Amino acid sequence: MSAPVLSPEERSLFSPKYRNITIGLLLAILTTAFEAMAVATILPEVARSLDGLQYYGWAFSAFLLSNIIGTIVGGELIDRMGSARPFAIFLLIFALGLVVAGASGNMGVFILGRFLQGFGAGGLNAVPFSVMSQVFPDHLRAKLLASISSAWVLPSLFGPILASSIASASSWHMVFYSVIPLLILVGFLTIPTLQKSTFPSPNPAPFDVRRFRYSILMATGAATLLAGLTLQQSFWMVPVALLGAVLTVLACRVILPTGIFRFARGIPSGIIVRGCSAFAFFGAEAFIPLGLVEIQKFSVTQAGWLLTVGGVSWSIGSIVQARMDSRTGPSGREFRVKLGMFLLSIGILLVGLSITGILPALVSVLGWTLSGLGMGLGYATNSLIILAQVKEGESGKVSSQLNSAEVLLAALAAGIGGALVAWGKTQELSLALPLQLTFLVLVGVSLLTWIAGSRVIQPARKSSM
């Protein structure tokens, strides 16, 4: 059968029908991407300034664990209210977190600010997936995912240098304050568009109070697990960590789809790919600047440029997958997921070996380039596969499941690495050993995506005669 003929209005993300909503989403992504790149760049300086190196991992984990709760709440609100009002609420919470982090004088207040930022960002993260499901047809979703990834290019190129320049000219506190004007602009440009373009689901599932409670349990369990890991040389380390692990697993059984622990085909395996790739990539991103600054003696700006390489290569990979998808359609998607996850694992292995001194430091550029390309190819394609399997009225729910898995595992990666760094400091060891162990864990978890990547597509059921 020949492909349907599309009108000019249906061919482009920037046609009059889709222009405003596309620009709004890209501006929101641009702002949050800048904040993420800025924080990752300056965090070694923040930890040194506040004498909080032992809490380095918590600066990421607090953000990500509260993100889980925000994502669940955001998904539920979007299905019932549309996207505009939840977007405005979570934008304000995110801005409040920036103010608290910027005003902090100790690591405890800073982590509280990161917690508020995470809750706001979690709600905001539920919006793009829901909008894609409601507004954009399948043939434009790959292009939108590529455009969203491309929105990371400018923050990746200029975020590290701007953050380090602001911190040098004034202080790291001003880096957080500098994001607030961008949030105001995003609100004015995006919220009116969302009001006109998105609507509540006509048949939303009943508000799942149980899932909300379990989202809090998931965050509490993960925080307890990570807190237990920091209780080195204490009798309480094992029981506290074990309690946290049990609570986290119990919560996952409610929040995440049935079959996820047995790598069931379809959405469960797609969520495993999303979560484990996030564990590996974002876990590595959290500790790359620390390794380069403290071990390889790079400046904060130089370390930030390596993060730039990953962001740009991710965008390139996403653009490549969009073009491949337009040529081959759904038939080539599973292969691209597998290829992307292979590149991710190899790249992170090279980065870990290079920033800790086993391989030359410049090898980290190659490794992080491969990791970014892998995420661009596999992460975006995996999202397309999941989108094609979402049932009507469940876009918010699936969006929250995807983001919950992603942020939970990214938080665990940052927390486990942070616990290893704290252990190394307690034992007066070189930083290289804890970081080598951290990257070993990251590579090991990334291998799970190789299994799940072959099970992301749910086989079509044969119709009965």
Side-chain angles (χ1 to χ4, degrees):
M1 295 180 63
S2 60
V5 178
L6 301 174
S7 66
E9 198 175 57
E10 296 283 344
R11 294 175 187 169
S12 171
L13 292 171
F14 296 95
S15 64
K17 183 176 181 179
Y18 303 112
R19 181 187 301 138
N20 288 341
I21 193 67
T22 299
I23 293 173
L25 288 177
L26 294 183
L27 281 173
I29 297 298
L30 187 73
T31 303
T32 54
F34 173 78
E35 188 271 345
M37 296 300 297
V39 172
T41 302
I42 66 168
L43 195 55
E45 182 176 341
V46 174
R48 190 184 305 116
S49 171
L50 300 179
D51 192 24
L53 183 61
Q54 66 269 36
Y55 304 112
Y56 186 90
W58 278 105
F60 290 100
S61 295
F63 178 96
L64 294 166
L65 291 175
S66 63
N67 196 294
I68 295 171
I69 304 172
T71 297
I72 297 293
V73 175
E76 294 284 352
L77 292 180
I78 287 168
D79 284 343
R80 286 155 182 78
M81 303 168 60
S83 297
R85 279 186 288 172
F87 187 87
I89 292 169
F90 288 108
L91 201 67
L92 288 172
I93 296 172
F94 186 76
L96 176 62
L98 289 171
V99 172
V100 173
S104 60
N106 60 69
M107 205 63 174
V109 176
F110 181 79
I111 291 173
L112 173 62
R114 295 290 289 160
F115 182 91
L116 291 171
Q117 289 176 56
F119 186 81
L124 295 175
N125 286 341
V127 172
F129 191 91
S130 180
V131 170
M132 274 189 280
S133 179
Q134 291 185 37
V135 177
F136 292 92
D138 183 73
H139 68 275
L140 287 180
R141 290 172 182 170
K143 294 180 180 179
L144 182 58
L145 285 169
S147 297
I148 287 174
S149 294
S150 297
W152 278 79
V153 172
L154 287 177
S156 297
L157 286 173
F158 300 109
I161 187 67
L162 283 175
S164 58
S165 298
I166 292 171
S168 298
S170 179
S171 70
W172 61 262
H173 302 269
M174 287 301 302
V175 175
F176 291 92
Y177 297 143
S178 66
V179 180
I180 295 175
L182 293 175
L183 292 181
I184 296 172
L185 177 62
V186 167
F188 275 115
L189 294 177
T190 306
I191 293 171
T193 304
L194 291 174
Q195 287 177 321
K196 298 176 182 178
S197 304
T198 64
F199 306 94
S201 173
N203 298 300
F207 187 85
D208 197 338
V209 177
R210 185 166 176 257
R211 289 186 73 246
F212 173 67
R213 291 173 178 170
Y214 274 86
S215 71
I216 297 176
L217 180 65
M218 176 186 282
T220 303
T224 302
L225 169 59
L226 297 178
L229 293 178
T230 63
L231 297 174
Q232 286 113 23
Q233 298 179 337
S234 169
F235 166 81
W236 294 104
M237 176 179 175
V238 173
V240 171
L242 183 60
L243 173 63
V246 171
L247 294 177
T248 304
V249 171
L250 288 175
C252 286
R253 292 177 64 87
V254 174
I255 292 175
L256 301 181
T258 302
I260 195 164
F261 290 108
R262 54 182 173 86
F263 289 72
R265 290 188 175 275
I267 290 177
S269 284
I271 290 175
I272 292 173
V273 170
R274 177 81 164 250
C276 291
S277 63
F279 183 100
F281 186 87
F282 295 117
E285 186 178 64
F287 292 96
I288 284 173
L290 184 64
L292 291 178
V293 170
E294 299 295 333
I295 298 175
Q296 300 293 350
K297 304 305 178 184
F298 282 31
S299 69
V300 171
T301 301
Q302 290 171 331
W305 276 114
L306 184 59
L307 300 184
T308 296
V309 169
V312 172
S313 61
W314 183 328
S315 298
I316 293 172
S318 187
I319 293 169
V320 169
Q321 72 81 26
R323 293 182 177 178
M324 294 174 70
D325 197 82
S326 65
R327 294 176 183 174
T328 64
S331 62
R333 289 176 179 174
E334 184 177 321
F335 169 75
R336 290 197 296 278
V337 172
K338 294 177 181 177
L339 175 60
M341 296 302 100
F342 174 77
L343 293 175
L344 173 66
S345 298
I346 297 300
I348 288 178
L349 177 62
L350 292 176
V351 170
L353 293 174
S354 58
I355 70 168
T356 57
I358 296 176
L359 293 177
L362 288 179
V363 175
S364 61
V365 178
L366 172 62
W368 203 230
T369 299
L370 292 177
S371 299
L373 285 173
M375 289 295 279
L377 283 172
Y379 184 97
T381 304
N382 182 61
S383 297
L384 287 176
I385 293 172
I386 295 174
L387 276 167
Q389 300 177 79
V390 175
K391 297 178 182 178
E392 183 179 354
E394 293 189 353
S395 62
K397 177 181 177 180
V398 175
S399 175
S400 68
Q401 289 175 335
L402 281 168
N403 284 291
S404 294
E406 176 178 319
V407 298
L408 171 65
L409 286 168
L412 290 177
I416 291 170
L420 288 169
V421 169
W423 166 76
K425 186 174 182 180
T426 301
Q427 300 296 319
E428 298 183 350
L429 299 173
S430 166
L431 181 61
L433 178 59
L435 289 185
Q436 288 166 4
L437 294 174
T438 296
F439 276 82
L440 180 63
V441 173
L442 298 178
V443 173
V445 171
S446 76
L447 298 181
L448 296 177
T449 65
W450 296 17
I451 301 172
S454 63
R455 302 176 64 83
V456 292
I457 296 179
Q458 177 71 47
R461 295 183 180 179
K462 296 181 179 180
S463 59
S464 57
M465 299 296 292

